[in-house]
C-alpha cells in the first residue's frame, strides 16, 4: 500500500508522521520521524529521491519552510549526482581480478581449497575454484570474508577513537547496512550498537577510521548539525577532507555487483547516500 501524500496547501494539518510523503512545490519527500531529533534534516539519496528527517510533532508548515529554504542546495546536489554517477565495478571472480582491502589492491588467485572458501595469504586473495565457479556463492563468501576481517580490524580501532571522543564503546558489527557506510543505534546494550558496512573495508585505513569516528560522534549528537561537526572536528581535524575522499572513493567501491552465469550484470541493493543537510 503506497504511503499517503500530504498536500502542501491544506490547513489544520496534524504533525508529520513517519512514512508519509510530503509534497513541496512539486517535489515528493519521504518523511522519517525520530524522537532523538531536534532539527530537521534532508538527504538526497543516490537514486535522486529525497528523505526529510524530522523530530516528533513537527508541523508540516515548518518542514515546508525548511525544504523551500533548501531549494538551491537540493538542486545543486541533484546536479552533482548527475555529473558524478557511481562507477561501481562488476566482478566475475576470474583469476587475476583485483579486490581491495584497507586501501591495498590484491589479485584473486583461484586455488583448490575446499575447506577455506576465501583467505588472504602471501599477498594474494585466494578463493576456492568451486566457489568461484558460482558467482552468487562467490559473492556471498567474499562478503562474509570482508565482514569477518573488517570486524577483527575495526575492534582494535574502536577503543582509541572512543577514548579520544570521550564516549563509551558501543557493541560493533559488520554487515550490509543498506544505503549508509555505518549506523549507530542507542539503547541496544549499555552503550548502543554500531554497524559498519562490509564495503568500507576496501577503503584506506584512515577513511575507515573516519567512518568509525563519524558514528561514535552520534553517541553524543544525533543529527549532522553544527554541534555534530564541531564534535567530530575536535577528534578528527581533517574530517572535512576525509568526507570528500569518502564521497569520491565510495563511488568506485565494489558493492557486490557480479556477472551472472548467463553473462548479464547482477546487482545488489547497496547504494551510498549522495548528500545530507541539517537545519541550522
Amino acid at each position: 500500500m503506497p504511503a499517503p501524500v500530504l498536500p502542501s496547501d491544506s490547513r489544520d494539518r496534524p504533525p508529520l508522521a513517519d512514512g508519509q510523503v510530503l509534497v513541496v512545490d512539486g517535489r515528493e519527500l519521504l518523511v522519517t520521524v525520530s524522537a532523538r531529533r531536534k532539527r530537521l534534516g534532508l538527504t538526497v539519496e543516490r537514486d535522486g529521491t529525497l528523505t526529510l528527517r524530522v523530530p516528533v510533532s513537527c508541523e508540516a508548515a515548518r518542514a515546508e519552510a525548511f525544504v523551500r529554504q533548501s531549494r538551491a542546495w537540493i538542486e545543486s546536489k541533484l546536479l552533482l549526482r548527475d555529473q558524478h554517477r557511481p562507477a561501481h565495478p562488476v566482478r566475475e571472480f576470474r583469476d587475476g581480478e583485483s579486490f581491495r582491502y584497507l586501501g591495498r589492491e590484491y589479485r584473486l588467485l583461484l586455488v583448490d581449497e575446499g575447506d577455506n572458501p576465501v583467505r588472504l595469504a602471501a599477498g594474494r586473495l585466494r578463493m576456492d575454484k568451486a566457489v568461484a565457479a558460482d558467482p552468487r556463492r562467490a559473492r556471498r563468501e567474499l562478503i562474509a570474508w570482508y565482514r569477518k576481517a573488517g570486524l577483527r580490524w575495526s575492534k582494535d580501532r574502536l577503543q582509541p577513537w572512543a577514548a579520544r571522543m570521550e564516549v563509551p564503546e558501543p557493541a560493533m558489527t559488520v554487515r550490509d547496512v543498506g544505503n549508509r557506510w555505518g549506523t549507530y543505534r542507542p539503547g541496544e546494550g549499555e552503550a548502543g550498537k554500531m554497524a559498519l558496512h562490509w564495503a568500507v573495508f576496501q577503503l584506506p585505513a584512515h577513511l575507515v577510521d573516519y567512518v568509525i569516528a563519524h558514528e561514535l560522534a552520534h553517541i553524543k549528537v544525533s543529527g549532522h548539525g553544527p554541534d555534530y561537526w564541531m564534535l567530530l572536528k575536535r577528534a578528527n581535524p581533517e574530517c572535512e577532507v576525509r568526507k570528500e575522499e569518502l564521497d569520491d572513493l565510495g563511488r568506485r567501491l565494489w558493492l557486490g555487483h557480479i556477472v551472472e552465469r548467463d553473462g548479464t550484470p547482477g546487482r545488489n541493493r547497496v547504494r551510498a547516500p549522495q548528500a545530507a543537510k541539517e537545519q541550522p
Side-chain angles (χ1 to χ4, degrees):
M1 180 177 178
V5 175
L6 301 180
S8 60
D9 57 352
S10 63
R11 297 180 180 276
D12 301 322
R13 290 169 288 176
L16 295 178
D18 193 61
Q20 289 185 321
V21 175
L22 181 68
V23 179
V24 182
D25 298 336
R27 294 189 188 276
E28 293 188 357
L29 302 99
L30 176 65
V31 177
T32 63
V33 179
S34 170
R36 299 178 64 231
R37 276 193 166 271
K38 295 182 179 179
R39 299 183 177 93
L40 282 71
L42 268 174
T43 302
V44 179
E45 307 292 350
R46 185 65 69 182
D47 61 4
T49 59
L50 303 176
T51 301
L52 176 64
R53 307 180 192 281
V54 304
V56 175
S57 301
C58 178
E59 297 178 353
R62 177 187 173 191
E64 290 168 358
F66 173 60
V67 173
R68 290 191 174 103
Q69 291 168 2
S70 305
R71 182 181 303 165
W73 179 88
I74 293 172
E75 292 175 353
S76 69
K77 296 307 178 186
L78 289 174
L79 178 61
L80 187 65
R81 165 185 170 268
D82 290 337
Q83 294 174 341
H84 300 281
R85 290 188 179 275
H88 302 303
V90 178
R91 297 300 188 213
E92 299 182 60
F93 305 107
R94 293 179 289 102
D95 207 41
E97 229 175 3
S98 64
F99 290 87
R100 290 186 176 273
Y101 176 61
L102 295 179
R104 293 187 61 184
E105 189 172 280
Y106 296 92
R107 296 290 178 180
L108 189 66
L109 179 64
L110 302 185
V111 294
D112 292 311
E113 292 185 0
D115 295 334
N116 208 338
V118 180
R119 69 187 181 99
L120 185 61
R124 298 293 293 270
L125 188 63
R126 303 164 71 91
M127 176 179 285
D128 182 67
K129 291 179 180 179
V131 172
D134 182 346
R136 294 190 179 187
R137 183 185 174 193
R139 174 175 60 187
R140 185 169 63 250
E141 294 290 358
L142 187 51
I143 289 174
W145 179 84
Y146 273 117
R147 292 181 61 182
K148 183 178 179 180
L151 181 61
R152 183 171 58 248
W153 184 89
S154 57
K155 280 185 173 179
D156 291 336
R157 307 296 294 171
L158 182 63
Q159 190 279 330
W161 279 106
R164 182 183 300 183
M165 302 179 75
E166 299 180 338
V167 297
E169 292 181 51
M172 176 176 280
T173 184
V174 176
R175 57 183 177 85
D176 180 347
V177 292
N179 64 351
R180 297 177 180 273
W181 296 127
T183 65
Y184 170 75
R185 295 185 182 278
E188 297 185 17
E190 294 183 2
K193 188 172 185 178
M194 177 192 296
L196 300 181
H197 200 296
W198 61 265
V200 303
F201 295 98
Q202 298 168 68
L203 295 167
H206 67 275
L207 292 184
V208 184
D209 278 339
Y210 166 76
V211 176
I212 291 173
H214 183 103
E215 298 308 326
L216 286 174
H218 284 308
I219 295 177
K220 288 187 175 181
V221 184
S222 60
H224 292 92
D227 292 344
Y228 171 86
W229 290 106
M230 187 179 301
L231 170 64
L232 184 58
K233 195 166 187 176
R234 283 201 301 268
N236 188 341
E238 297 183 327
C239 62
E240 294 176 353
V241 175
R242 299 292 181 251
K243 181 180 183 302
E244 291 181 2
E245 286 185 77
L246 179 60
D247 289 343
D248 180 47
L249 290 178
R251 296 188 304 111
R252 299 191 292 275
L253 295 185
W254 179 65
L255 296 181
H257 298 92
I258 61 173
V259 174
E260 301 281 6
R261 282 180 170 176
D262 61 1
T264 60
R267 294 178 177 269
N268 69 348
R269 62 184 179 84
V270 180
R271 295 186 302 275
Q274 176 66 27
K277 174 182 174 67
E278 294 287 323
Q279 188 180 47

